[in-house]
Amino acid sequence: MNKLDRFNQSFLDIIYKGVKKVKKHRFAIFFAIYTIGYLFYVFAFHIGWIRAFYDTAALFAFDIRIGYEHIDTWFKSLIYIIALIAGSYTLLSVIAPFFKHKKDDIKKQRVLKSKKIIVIGLSYSTKAYLDSIDDIENESILVLAQDKNDTYLQKYEHSSNVAIENIAFLYQDIDSLNLSEVKHIIISTDSDMDNLEIATKLISTNDKLKIFVQVEDRNLRYLHKENGLLSSQNIRIYSHNEESVRLLFDRYDIDGIYNDVIDSCNPFAIAVVGNTSLSYEIVSQCTILGQLPNENPLTIYCIDKDKQAFQDAIELHFPQIDKVPNLTLEFVELNHSKKAFYNNTIWDRTLSYVVLCLENEQTNLDIASMLLEFTFIEKIVHKQMNTQILMAMPNGYKLGEKIKHNMEFLKYLDTFASTIDISNDKYIVAEDRDKKAIATDFLYSNIDIKVDNYARYEYIYTFKTDNEDEKKEYEKSGYIRINDSNWNKLYYLHKESNRMVADHIKVKLKFLGLVSKKVKNIDTKELFFDNKKLFESKLEDKVKLAKAEHNRWNAFHYIHGYEQIPFVSKTQKSFLKTQHNTLKKHMCLVDFDEFKARADELDALGYNKGEFEGYDIAINDHIPLILAYAGYKIYQNVTVGITGHRSGISDEVYTKLFRYIKDMIEKESISIKTIISPLADGADRVVAKHILEEHNAKLIVPLPFKEYEYQKDFSKDSKKEFEKLIAKADRVYTISDIDKISKDEAYLKAGEYVVNNCDILIAIWDGEDARGVGGTADIVEYAKQCKKPTLYINTENLNIKYINFNGEK
């Protein structure tokens, strides 16, 4: 901005601020001036009330009607001053629109000339985006709104870098937008078709623009990107609903918050309430992400007061959903405004989640409250609640934050689909959002797969590159420098396929007892080697992971309307590839084991044995590299058990232990997910409390016998502490009945439960023999017999040992 512009802007700002204040208090100012003038005419000039009324009004036009010689000069001076003020008021009122227009015009021209962000539309999404920009004064932003006088935009009137125009400006004078000087464009009106029309117009003007356009209708999203109607490589179509569900299952595991399902072949279920576009996204992503390594059957209950309408909508959106492996859809007719909704037997089933997707946020909150207070109350009281209630709150951000910060009381309830979480400048335009998906596509495109041992599904991978050094490095270590050069050339469906591969990695890691976390300032290559070492140490059953990947691939394609066709020869497949993709047909939509069962037939058609399964195996083998490229580190997801003395433990013991645990977490790449502690006095509580606070872990409490009997062993203060801690427990189990066995035997069984269900036992022990049955020494000895990894600190000499039963560390 040049000096003249700066002077003009400052001058106009000062005047406009004055004009603004006059405008804001115009009625009070007018009344005050008129009253003073009127009183002067009546009492100082002694004229009649009616004439005073007209003469005072004339003051506002600088018309001073004074013709009385007997009037004191001092009074005449005052009336001149009043006339000056009244006339100025009139003048300011008349010229105010001009100053506002001039000020806005200078600001708009300055923004148009600068490197700017353009926000088109004034939906909840664009409002959330604007509100999320932390340092808005250091950005140049042009807002094109349906109504430039919208009350929401008043907050930006005094901002020197936010210019506001009507959306019609886009059509009237698109050249003046200076599109060559644009960082990116956000498009979100209240109409998908309008959004797409605007995006199309902008791309036709400049196909290099980086555009983020909101489209909620699934069919429109795929139609426009798959058929080239939006041909720019820099355009990203996003959906609030789709992104909301993606973030939801980034926060929550699809099979539930515990390992009961993924560590077994047990079925699991999810209830989706409400026939809405959001519920369709929930069904879609649950169907794909719900393909677990043990092929656990998944049932999705679709609940609405009109189940037939819900069923028709699902079948319309996903015509091939009945072909998805391991999936059952049940449509249930229940009206949430009726009592029968809350005492239906469906809630007695093993539900991982109840997802409330109705469009009215208050209705979702009311249903959630009733479920917690009426339907699930018994399970909650007895700490046997395994179901998480998730309610859509697009605009209830403050309520969602309040729930998250009161987890002790509302731990079974959470919100999702917050507009602020999706439409903010750190998420929607983030450069690294798709890094895992980019890595996945790169590997699919640049790795040759050759069977080494078909019986054991072992493959040899070769990096397709002209760079011999990179090729040798990959052959030696498995490391590749991934790049995103091909990503923006992909069709929308192809990108989504890679995104779902990336999202499904979380499921596979959980099955292996692992978890990934975003880290900073670690070299990608170093991160890859750390990830690879830990991942390969846990990878015992490649076939189960490969089946899960293939079932996920099948589910994704069925959800997107693909049909299975018979196998054709390799030559025909290559020739018909484009046609089959257009018609949404694929011959690999079969069970994973069918490839091996039909190996001879496929061999006759020109395919190598294991060729098809190789894709599923290969993507899993490269998980460490995918995560490293995206900046994620793999950790062991462990459950920690606690045993220790009730008294006689110094603070020094705990200080040293907690320091060691912190170091071990870093060195051993450990993430503590759960603590198991009976919460007896002493070590049980101190360690549990520390881990709960420091690691946000879940707490499981195995009580030796019934709680009221157990508390008889505690003092008054100890009881209070116990009650506070057990209130934070996620699960509480009563291990024994002391009517049948002794207390000591019950304590022993509780200790054995801790050992049997943990990955690492923390033992705080003086090293002495047990003084009775069920003491710390007995539990340590039992852990030794079970070869349970144990972190042991001696309370007498403070020596620490970590025994992993492959040798001591």
Side-chain angles (χ1 to χ4, degrees):
M1 183 165 59
N2 60 39
K3 289 182 180 179
L4 182 60
D5 281 346
R6 272 199 298 269
F7 173 77
N8 286 340
Q9 184 66 42
S10 301
F11 176 70
L12 290 170
D13 275 345
I14 291 167
I15 294 179
Y16 183 64
K17 282 177 184 176
V19 169
K20 186 89 172 170
K21 290 194 177 189
V22 169
K23 185 179 177 184
K24 184 178 179 181
H25 305 290
R26 59 187 179 278
F27 295 115
I29 293 170
F30 175 82
F31 182 75
I33 295 170
Y34 193 92
T35 301
I36 292 168
Y38 183 79
L39 292 175
F40 259 85
Y41 273 122
V42 172
F43 295 107
F45 295 175
H46 304 294
I47 63 174
W49 287 24
I50 295 175
R51 182 176 172 183
F53 177 82
Y54 290 108
D55 284 359
T56 304
L59 292 175
F60 288 86
F62 291 106
D63 183 2
I64 304 169
R65 300 181 178 184
I66 300 175
Y68 312 102
E69 296 299 328
H70 65 281
I71 300 300
D72 191 289
T73 305
W74 187 79
F75 284 119
K76 287 184 180 180
S77 299
L78 282 176
I79 207 66
Y80 277 112
I81 292 171
I82 295 170
L84 180 63
I85 294 170
S88 297
Y89 170 86
T90 304
L91 184 62
L92 284 173
S93 299
V94 171
I95 68 172
F98 165 78
F99 274 105
K100 183 178 187 308
H101 176 75
K102 186 67 178 171
K103 172 179 175 287
D104 289 347
D105 189 56
I106 290 174
K107 180 164 64 170
K108 182 178 75 177
Q109 293 305 320
R110 188 176 70 255
V111 168
L112 289 173
K113 290 175 186 176
S114 61
K115 197 77 174 175
K116 59 194 165 291
I117 297 168
I118 301 179
V119 176
I120 302 175
L122 210 55
S123 65
Y124 283 120
S125 292
T126 47
K127 288 177 184 177
Y129 176 78
L130 288 167
D131 291 341
S132 73
I133 301 174
D134 294 329
D135 196 5
I136 201 162
E137 289 303 320
N138 286 329
E139 294 282 3
S140 290
I141 300 171
L142 174 64
V143 180
L144 300 178
Q146 293 94 323
D147 177 10
K148 66 183 290 185
N149 297 313
D150 190 290
T151 53
Y152 167 80
L153 293 170
Q154 289 177 4
K155 65 169 86 172
Y156 298 112
E157 282 187 354
H158 294 305
S159 173
S160 59
N161 293 326
V162 180
I164 301 165
E165 262 297 346
N166 283 321
I167 210 165
F169 183 75
L170 179 68
Y171 298 94
Q172 294 166 357
D173 196 8
I174 194 168
D175 292 336
S176 68
L177 288 176
N178 192 18
L179 294 175
S180 61
E181 293 294 319
V182 171
K183 288 184 179 180
H184 56 258
I185 301 174
I186 308 288
I187 304 173
S188 177
T189 66
D190 292 320
S191 163
D192 284 347
M193 287 304 298
D194 287 348
N195 293 343
L196 288 166
E197 183 184 341
I198 292 166
T200 305
K201 181 172 181 61
L202 288 167
I203 289 166
S204 65
T205 305
N206 184 341
D207 64 0
K208 299 291 189 293
L209 290 170
K210 191 174 184 180
I211 299 175
F212 301 86
V213 55
Q214 183 174 1
V215 179
E216 291 303 322
D217 187 281
R218 290 178 59 88
N219 295 325
L220 280 177
R221 289 203 299 275
Y222 290 99
L223 172 69
H224 278 261
K225 282 300 285 186
E226 289 305 298
N227 294 287
L229 298 181
L230 294 176
S231 56
S232 170
Q233 293 181 10
N234 294 318
I235 193 165
R236 178 180 174 108
I237 293 180
Y238 73 95
S239 155
H240 175 270
N241 290 337
E242 187 177 62
E243 296 296 341
S244 295
V245 180
R246 180 161 279 138
L247 279 181
L248 176 65
F249 289 116
D250 182 57
R251 200 161 79 237
Y252 285 97
D253 296 331
I254 188 71
D255 58 304
I257 55 179
Y258 299 104
N259 279 42
D260 301 14
V261 173
I262 206 158
D263 289 346
S264 68
C265 295
N266 295 338
F268 66 113
I270 295 168
V272 182
V273 181
N275 178 12
T276 63
S277 56
L278 179 59
S279 65
Y280 310 152
E281 293 294 343
I282 291 284
V283 170
S284 169
Q285 293 198 38
C286 285
T287 298
I288 299 165
L289 294 175
Q291 301 301 322
L292 307 186
N294 284 322
E295 301 189 83
N296 308 63
L298 165 63
T299 301
I300 300 177
Y301 296 104
C302 300
I303 302 170
D304 193 70
K305 60 185 178 183
D306 185 347
K307 75 171 186 178
Q308 189 58 52
F310 203 168
Q311 184 171 349
D312 291 344
I314 291 293
E315 289 174 353
L316 180 65
H317 281 86
F318 316 115
Q320 300 294 320
I321 197 170
D322 59 311
K323 307 284 197 316
V324 173
N326 311 313
L327 176 72
T328 302
L329 288 179
E330 284 194 24
F331 295 90
V332 183
E333 189 153 313
L334 288 173
N335 189 335
H336 61 81
S337 62
K338 305 288 185 182
K339 183 180 177 181
F341 180 95
Y342 301 97
N343 57 20
N344 193 278
T345 56
I346 197 169
W347 311 118
D348 297 330
R349 299 170 198 180
T350 307
L351 297 171
S352 298
Y353 302 103
V354 175
V355 191
L356 306 176
C357 299
L358 285 94
E359 290 176 348
N360 187 297
E361 294 180 10
Q362 184 62 52
T363 303
N364 288 334
L365 183 58
D366 290 343
I367 296 171
S369 300
M370 286 294 290
L371 288 172
L372 288 173
E373 294 174 14
F374 178 73
T375 308
F376 293 116
I377 188 66
E378 190 171 337
K379 289 181 180 179
I380 292 170
V381 168
H382 293 100
K383 301 286 183 182
Q384 300 300 317
M385 177 74 163
N386 297 325
T387 304
Q388 193 77 22
I389 299 173
L390 306 168
M391 56 180 181
M393 285 274 168
N395 305 305
Y397 180 75
K398 289 183 179 177
L399 175 63
E401 286 298 296
K402 192 170 183 181
I403 288 171
K404 287 171 190 171
H405 287 97
N406 287 275
M407 288 304 288
E408 187 174 332
F409 307 101
L410 298 167
K411 65 175 69 176
Y412 306 109
L413 176 65
D414 202 357
T415 63
F416 75 104
S418 165
T419 305
I420 291 176
D421 287 342
I422 305 299
S423 300
N424 64 73
D425 70 324
K426 293 177 182 64
Y427 181 80
I428 206 67
V429 300
E431 295 290 340
D432 63 347
R433 281 181 62 207
D434 284 325
K435 290 198 82 172
K436 284 187 276 188
I438 289 167
T440 301
D441 174 70
F442 181 89
L443 292 166
Y444 271 131
S445 305
N446 293 281
I447 299 295
D448 270 334
I449 305 168
K450 183 181 177 182
V451 179
D452 186 31
N453 186 322
Y454 187 37
R456 295 190 304 187
Y457 289 110
E458 292 177 353
Y459 292 82
I460 297 170
Y461 307 120
T462 307
F463 181 27
K464 294 185 285 188
T465 178
D466 294 330
N467 188 317
E468 289 301 319
D469 290 337
E470 288 187 350
K471 188 179 287 187
K472 286 177 183 177
E473 183 176 26
Y474 177 69
E475 289 174 3
K476 181 181 177 182
S477 66
Y479 179 71
I480 306 175
R481 289 170 182 81
I482 292 169
N483 65 69
D484 62 356
S485 58
N486 189 56
W487 178 251
N488 284 326
K489 299 174 185 176
L490 300 179
Y491 284 129
Y492 186 73
L493 187 65
H494 197 162
K495 283 185 177 180
E496 278 304 298
S497 179
N498 285 301
R499 286 180 184 126
M500 292 311 300
V501 175
D503 292 344
H504 197 248
I505 287 173
K506 184 183 180 190
V507 173
K508 296 163 187 168
L509 291 180
K510 185 177 181 181
F511 174 71
L512 298 174
L514 302 171
V515 66
S516 67
K517 296 181 182 180
K518 187 83 170 174
V519 292
K520 295 179 180 178
N521 305 320
I522 298 182
D523 178 70
T524 303
K525 193 171 182 179
E526 179 187 340
L527 196 54
F528 162 67
F529 287 124
D530 288 344
N531 285 350
K532 184 182 179 186
K533 182 180 177 182
L534 183 52
F535 182 80
E536 290 181 351
S537 72
K538 296 287 185 178
L539 188 58
E540 296 175 357
D541 194 336
K542 281 190 173 188
V543 177
K544 280 192 174 183
L545 284 193
K547 285 184 177 181
E549 172 57 26
H550 188 70
N551 286 336
R552 180 215 60 78
W553 185 90
N554 282 350
F556 177 86
H557 283 81
Y558 281 132
I559 279 290
H560 290 90
Y562 274 72
E563 296 179 40
Q564 192 239 325
I565 56 172
F567 286 109
V568 296
S569 72
K570 197 164 188 175
T571 305
Q572 284 179 295
K573 177 178 177 284
S574 179
F575 179 74
L576 295 171
K577 183 177 179 181
T578 302
Q579 184 185 35
H580 283 170
N581 280 337
T582 304
L583 296 173
K584 292 195 172 183
K585 296 181 184 298
H586 210 292
M587 65 183 192
C588 290
L589 288 165
V590 297
D591 185 73
F592 181 86
D593 291 329
E594 194 170 330
F595 293 120
K596 184 169 273 191
R598 300 173 65 178
D600 292 338
E601 177 189 342
L602 293 172
D603 184 52
L605 290 169
Y607 299 102
N608 298 320
K609 286 187 176 180
E611 181 174 336
F612 295 110
E613 301 98 307
Y615 291 104
D616 301 315
I617 298 283
I619 208 64
N620 292 334
D621 284 347
H622 287 86
I623 283 174
L625 182 58
I626 293 169
L627 293 174
Y629 174 73
Y632 285 83
K633 183 175 181 177
I634 298 176
Y635 293 86
Q636 298 179 71
N637 215 8
V638 302
T639 296
V640 170
I642 304 166
T643 187
H645 298 308
R646 292 193 174 203
S647 59
I649 304 172
S650 68
D651 290 343
E652 195 177 358
V653 170
Y654 291 122
T655 302
K656 187 170 183 180
L657 174 66
F658 296 152
R659 192 184 305 123
Y660 188 92
I661 290 172
K662 185 178 179 181
D663 291 342
M664 189 175 78
I665 283 170
E666 289 302 315
K667 290 175 184 175
E668 301 292 322
S669 296
I670 286 172
S671 172
I672 301 176
K673 64 173 180 179
T674 311
I675 323 150
I676 305 178
S677 170
L679 296 182
D681 280 318
D684 279 10
R685 293 185 194 173
V686 176
V687 178
K689 202 174 186 180
H690 173 81
I691 293 176
L692 279 174
E693 290 171 356
E694 294 296 318
H695 301 282
N696 194 30
K698 298 196 177 298
L699 175 61
I700 294 176
V701 181
L703 299 176
F705 32 85
K706 289 181 180 178
E707 188 177 334
Y708 70 89
E709 286 287 346
Y710 190 42
Q711 288 199 39
K712 288 179 182 178
D713 290 350
F714 306 147
S715 67
K716 187 176 180 181
D717 289 340
S718 177
K719 281 181 183 177
K720 287 181 181 178
E721 185 184 41
F722 173 82
E723 286 167 358
K724 279 183 182 178
L725 277 171
I726 203 167
K728 296 178 181 179
D730 295 274
R731 286 182 173 179
V732 178
Y733 299 109
T734 301
I735 303 301
S736 304
D737 184 349
I738 53 172
D739 291 335
K740 297 178 181 177
I741 61 172
S742 69
K743 275 192 173 184
D744 285 347
E745 288 175 309
Y747 278 118
L748 178 62
K749 287 188 177 296
E752 289 174 348
Y753 177 93
V754 173
V755 173
N756 292 337
N757 291 278
C758 74
D759 299 306
I760 298 173
L761 179 70
I762 295 176
I764 304 175
W765 176 44
D766 59 12
E768 299 292 328
D769 293 338
R771 298 175 183 86
V773 176
T776 304
D778 285 341
I779 308 307
V780 172
E781 181 59 32
Y782 180 73
K784 220 179 268 187
Q785 293 170 14
C786 297
K787 294 190 175 181
K788 183 69 64 177
T790 302
L791 175 59
Y792 153 58
I793 183 167
N794 188 301
T795 58
E796 298 301 313
N797 57 28
L798 273 64
N799 284 339
I800 292 183
K801 292 179 182 178
Y802 176 49
I803 309 169
N804 66 3
F805 297 101
N806 291 318
E808 289 190 6
K809 292 186 181 177

